[in-house]
Amino acid sequence: MRKPIISGAAGRFDGIDIARALAITGMFIMHTFFHTYPEVEWFTVFDGRASALFSVLAGVSVIFLTRHRGGATAVVQLVTRGVLLLALGVALSQPAVGPIVILATYGALYIVVAPLTFRLSGPVLAVAAAVTAVVMPVASWLIRHHLPPAPEFGYTPSWEMVRDGDWVTFLRCLLIDGLFPVMTWIPFFLAGMAVGRLLVATARVHRTARAAGGLVVLGVVLSAATLLVSRFIVGPLGFRDHHAATAPGGAETTDALLSGAFGTVPLDSRGWLAVYVPHSGSVAELVGSTGTAVAVIGACLLVGGAAGAAAAGGALPGAVAGPDPAHGVHGAHRGDRRAQRPRPRPVRAGVLLAQPAAAAGGGVGVVPLLPARAVGGGRLRGVPGRRRPGARSRLPRVTGRVVTPGTDPGPRPPTPTPDTDPRGQRPN
């Protein structure tokens, strides 16, 4: 039996919500606990990978967002969203907040990249992501050789640049050598769009679970291979020792550069392009972080599908019908107005009332407490609906009694009449 990777009337992928929650949690940890407790080494698992995962998910959302929209409508919506994100990112880049605000880069991706690529097929997007993962870091390294030194490491577009009219610096840090340069974040975005195309295509033939497993395998292979090659270059090939012998600060400087970067690779050696360093924008970092993001998305889709299958099978008593708590930026049918409505959970019947085990038999009888609209309806198709005019309900009346299997429920209480009904008098 296939697991329902997609659940609900709106056709949502629950695993995408799970992956987005992991990305936000990882970025929160890196921006708070990592600085407070630097001795906790496992925090570095999220370094660079959480923000890359969120960027990949942004590309997935582009496909879901534009699936049922025309060209002009989709472009207007993408650009509008990008302008809002860019403005918010610039407004938040204040000294009190710090320069670690990536929203401006996300906004630029929606403005520059998404309108040009959202109509491409999945294979074309995958090839484009692979090509840009190699070309963009090399192009950035070559371009920066001909630019004056950056004003500071890890700077981002700020309101001060806009206020002073320093648009050259604004565009330079946004596109080329800032903390989150658009040039080296394009591969993440395109990879996410390719994943979105894959999910939409496989959902039509109910093979999303197989696609999710393939994403896990592909992501693990890419991430593991990149880390192995990078460590081989740093260690056995002697990149670290060679750089430490020529760097001004010696081994201490080299180790600091290997531990983290500020958006770009150093210009003193081409070898940095093949070394995995978080937030460096190297080829190794782009390929490795993309692989990690793809694997996480695939695993989250499998987890979401397993949870949906368990809930649909009754393995999660207490699951209730209700709206999806996650924000709706990735509805697979977002173009349909139904995607805006709260969707029912896999367990349609609502809360389950369980009777304690009988002293003799030990059996437990369960009576579903159905929603009022469902009880009064003439039909029930998993989602509460209205009763057809003149239709009689085939559902048993729910009186609140708990029935043990194999026992006689006893006579029903008498139906009140206008003469005996204590709630009022006979109607006129």
Side-chain angles (χ1 to χ4, degrees), residues 25 104 145 161 165 185 190 207 209 219 253 291 307 313 357 382-384 399:
T25 302
H145 269 286
M161 299 177 188
W185 283 78
L190 294 177
R207 293 183 178 178
T253 300
V383 181
T399 62

Side-chain angles (χ1 to χ4, degrees), residues 3-253:
K3 299 177 181 178
I5 298 293
I6 303 178
S7 62
R12 294 176 64 92
F13 292 84
D14 290 338
I16 299 298
D17 282 324
I18 300 173
R20 186 173 286 109
L22 290 177
I24 295 175
T25 302
M27 290 188 289
F28 178 81
I29 289 175
M30 290 305 301
H31 293 170
T32 54
F33 297 120
F34 177 73
H35 298 284
T36 306
Y37 307 101
E39 68 278 1
V40 182
E41 296 184 358
W42 69 269
F43 285 162
T44 57
V45 172
F46 300 104
D47 193 10
R49 297 182 178 94
S51 54
L53 172 60
F54 203 81
S55 183
V56 173
L57 289 169
V60 175
S61 298
V62 168
I63 300 301
F64 291 164
L65 183 68
T66 59
R67 183 187 174 199
H68 293 294
R69 284 173 170 79
T73 303
V75 170
V76 169
Q77 186 163 12
L78 291 171
V79 172
T80 301
R81 176 172 294 197
V83 170
L84 293 176
L85 288 173
L86 180 60
L88 182 60
V90 171
L92 290 176
S93 295
Q94 300 294 328
V97 179
I100 47 177
V101 179
I102 196 174
L103 294 179
T105 299
Y106 288 156
L109 290 172
Y110 272 96
I111 295 172
V112 178
V113 180
L116 301 177
T117 57
F118 76 94
R119 287 183 174 274
L120 299 179
S121 64
V124 173
L125 288 169
V127 172
V131 171
T132 54
V134 177
V135 172
M136 288 302 180
V138 176
S140 172
W141 191 81
L142 294 174
I143 292 173
R144 287 184 294 114
H145 269 286
H146 302 282
L147 294 177
E152 58 181 309
F153 289 107
Y155 68 128
T156 57
S158 64
W159 169 248
E160 286 74 14
M161 299 177 188
V162 177
R163 181 193 59 194
D164 299 337
D166 192 0
W167 294 106
V168 174
T169 304
F170 182 91
L171 293 175
R172 173 181 171 177
C173 69
L174 177 63
L175 302 176
I176 302 175
D177 61 357
L179 183 58
F180 306 106
V182 171
M183 285 188 65
T184 51
W185 283 78
I186 289 176
F188 296 136
F189 199 66
L190 294 177
M193 294 176 70
V195 172
R197 285 288 183 211
L198 174 66
L199 296 181
V200 169
T202 55
R204 297 186 184 126
V205 293
H206 305 288
R207 293 183 178 178
T208 311
R210 183 181 301 178
L215 291 177
V216 173
V217 174
L218 174 63
V220 170
V221 169
L222 287 177
S223 181
T226 302
L227 290 177
L228 289 175
V229 172
S230 176
R231 291 183 179 181
F232 181 76
I233 294 174
V234 172
L237 287 186
F239 175 80
R240 179 189 176 277
D241 296 336
H242 175 74
H243 187 273
T246 57
E252 184 177 356
T253 300

Side-chain angles (χ1 to χ4, degrees), residues 351-356 364-370 395-405 407-415:
V351 182
L352 301 181
L353 299 178
Q355 176 192 9
V364 177
V366 177
V367 177
L369 180 61
L370 300 177
L395 297 174
R397 294 183 59 187
V398 179
T399 62
R401 298 177 298 161
V402 180
V403 182
T404 304
T407 62
D408 185 7
R412 295 180 179 274
T415 302

Side-chain angles (χ1 to χ4, degrees), residues 348 370-396:
R348 320 286 186 186
L370 300 177
R373 292 177 60 188
V375 173
R379 58 179 177 176
L380 181 65
R381 295 185 177 226
V383 181
R386 292 190 176 184
R387 179 180 178 181
R388 297 193 305 270
R392 299 180 59 186
S393 175
R394 299 181 181 180
L395 297 174

